[in-house]
Amino acid sequence: KRKSHPEVQNLIDGIFKGDITSLSRSITLVESTHKNHLKKANAIIKACLPKANNSIRIGITGVPGVGKSTFIEVFGKYLTSLGKKVAVLAVDPSSSLTKGSILGDKTRMEALVKDKNAFIRPSASGESLGGVARKTRETIILCEAAGFDTIIIETVGVGQSEIAVSSMVDFFLLLKLAGAGDELQGIKRGIIEMADAIVINKADGDNIKRAKLAKVEFDRALHLYPEKESSWQPKVLTCSALHHEGIEDIWDIISEYKNLTVTNNHWTSKRNHQNKYWLIQTIENQLKENFFNSDKIKKELKLQIKLIEEQKTTPFAAAEHLLSL
Ligand code: GDP
């Protein structure tokens, strides 16, 4: 058996002991684009795999301002009070544009940051969604090996990233606001379909009545969808993250979901399905990247585009020709 690099072995030992510094350093290796770092990262992930998987992975999404960080802090504190170890990770595909992560920002969750049983990691920035997704998936494995039993993945509700996040979690929670005018029309069908629970936040003060009304609307809308493969009926709840209200109910719902899906085997089949999805996704991305980055293809592609413009070939014939190269 080949002996691991001593630095790598130290990091692995540290992770298994739940040492946060080792965990953070290993995540930095996972996030690096440096070849040598990636090699080390892969060795660490491989060692961690047998100890991974023993967690519940929860995705949380919502538009900016809906209260994600307020909610995650309160929810996270509640979970650690139950004796759970909570890791919060962020998927932020826009970070390459906004220069720096807007999610998982430590200053936003001060109480949770100080909690010994919580670990908050801002999103890897400056990469494609595919790159961010890979890093997040691998970071989940490292966190689980370090003993974190509840993994929260936060993302902004802007489209693509929700699909990525829902494909790496067991339970997908959509945070909404009442009276944002999108109860019925604006709710993007796909996102609603992905949700295992819709939580209407800021149900406090003058907003309570509107929140209750929104709950009725969402309940009605959800019943129009066909039954999910998990046979789980998505739930609609209201909460006030600010006033710490409705938080326990949300955890109860998630526990109920886990009980149901573990019993009917959907839990395992969903995770297997996700692994297969990411395998295929990664291969597709890699093939595409290799293809379009080839100098030969770049040159020939330009030529074929010109030929198409001159009506000397069709896009299909051109594609076939390029692929045959
Ligand atoms: P994020 O952008 O989704 O992370 O939203 P934040 O957690 O930063 O919250 C945005 C604003 O909404 C902040 O000013 C919060 O104090 C406020 N907020 C969050 N949750 C609640 C809530 O339950 N009730 C009320 N009234 N305000 C809230």
Side-chain angles (χ1 to χ4, degrees):
K1 203 174 148 194
R2 239 186 77 226
K3 196 96 181 75
S4 311
H5 191 282
E7 181 200 349
V8 166
Q9 194 54 53
N10 276 341
L11 289 172
I12 295 168
D13 293 343
I15 288 175
F16 289 174
K17 279 187 230 139
D19 172 48
I20 295 300
T21 311
S22 304
L23 175 61
S24 297
R25 284 214 189 117
S26 303
I27 295 173
T28 304
L29 290 176
V30 164
E31 289 175 349
S32 171
T33 46
H34 198 287
K35 258 215 167 94
N36 193 31
H37 290 170
L38 269 178
K39 235 170 103 185
K40 288 179 186 169
N42 285 337
I44 297 171
I45 291 162
K46 203 168 167 196
C48 285
L49 267 176
K51 297 205 184 238
N53 238 3
N54 295 316
S55 75
I56 179 158
R57 304 166 183 166
I58 303 166
I60 296 182
T61 187
V63 295
V66 72
K68 287 181 297 301
S69 53
T70 311
F71 174 80
I72 291 171
E73 167 144 279
V74 174
F75 188 57
K77 285 297 286 180
Y78 173 65
L79 294 178
T80 59
S81 82
L82 297 179
K84 305 206 170 294
K85 287 191 75 181
V86 181
V88 180
L89 314 173
V91 170
D92 181 8
S94 63
S95 57
S96 53
L97 301 174
T98 53
K99 286 273 184 261
S101 166
I102 49 162
L103 288 161
D105 181 351
K106 291 191 178 189
T107 59
R108 296 186 315 153
M109 301 180 198
E110 275 175 38
L112 200 57
V113 169
K114 289 188 202 127
D115 194 319
K116 274 207 313 284
N117 289 315
F119 174 72
I120 301 177
R121 182 80 184 190
S123 103
S125 61
E127 270 247 7
S128 65
L129 178 58
V132 175
R134 175 187 69 79
K135 289 166 184 178
T136 309
R137 293 255 312 163
E138 296 184 338
T139 299
I140 292 174
I141 292 167
L142 300 183
C143 290
E144 289 173 349
F148 288 93
D149 52 34
T150 312
I151 316 283
I152 294 176
I153 320 275
E154 177 190 6
T155 193
V156 232
V158 289
Q160 276 301 311
S161 62
E162 287 132 318
I163 299 170
V165 168
S166 80
S167 309
M168 55 176 94
V169 297
D170 306 305
F171 190 93
F172 196 62
L173 191 159
L174 176 58
L175 274 184
K176 297 290 289 181
L177 290 176
D182 64 351
E183 275 84 346
L184 290 176
Q185 74 280 34
I187 44 176
K188 283 169 273 167
R189 191 186 156 94
I191 305 299
I192 292 287
E193 264 176 344
M194 279 186 258
D196 296 302
I198 295 175
V199 174
I200 301 154
N201 189 33
K202 306 198 187 182
D204 45 49
D206 293 343
N207 229 351
I208 292 182
K209 216 170 135 191
R210 259 187 296 168
K212 281 187 180 153
L213 218 62
K215 177 177 154 41
V216 174
E217 302 258 13
F218 277 122
D219 262 328
R220 197 178 297 149
L222 280 177
H223 272 97
L224 298 177
Y225 291 106
E227 193 188 3
K228 290 196 167 201
E229 220 180 296
S230 55
S231 78
W232 170 255
Q233 174 64 45
K235 302 288 186 294
V236 186
L237 299 105
T238 61
C239 87
S240 169
L242 196 65
H243 299 288
H244 303 201
E245 281 162 12
I247 305 297
E248 295 176 23
D249 294 346
I250 296 167
W251 177 244
D252 289 347
I253 288 287
I254 295 173
S255 307
E256 197 186 306
Y257 173 88
K258 184 168 182 180
N259 285 339
L260 173 81
T261 55
V262 166
T263 308
N264 72 14
N265 238 349
H266 180 77
W267 179 271
T268 309
S269 75
K270 185 172 179 181
R271 283 198 174 185
N272 288 340
H273 186 84
Q274 288 175 338
N275 282 329
K276 211 161 78 190
Y277 169 83
W278 287 106
L279 170 69
I280 303 297
Q281 276 277 311
T282 309
I283 292 173
E284 279 179 3
N285 284 345
Q286 201 68 57
L287 283 175
K288 235 196 296 195
E289 224 176 275
N290 292 348
F291 181 78
F292 286 110
N293 282 339
S294 133
D295 288 333
K296 192 172 166 191
I297 293 297
K298 278 186 196 161
K299 230 173 92 197
E300 191 63 22
L301 185 61
K302 254 191 216 143
L303 190 75
Q304 291 294 319
I305 290 173
K306 199 162 156 275
L307 290 176
I308 293 171
E309 283 167 0
E310 291 167 355
Q311 309 214 5
K312 287 184 180 146
T313 186
T314 67
F316 307 99
E320 209 164 306
H321 167 69
L322 285 163
L323 286 167
S324 75
L325 297 177

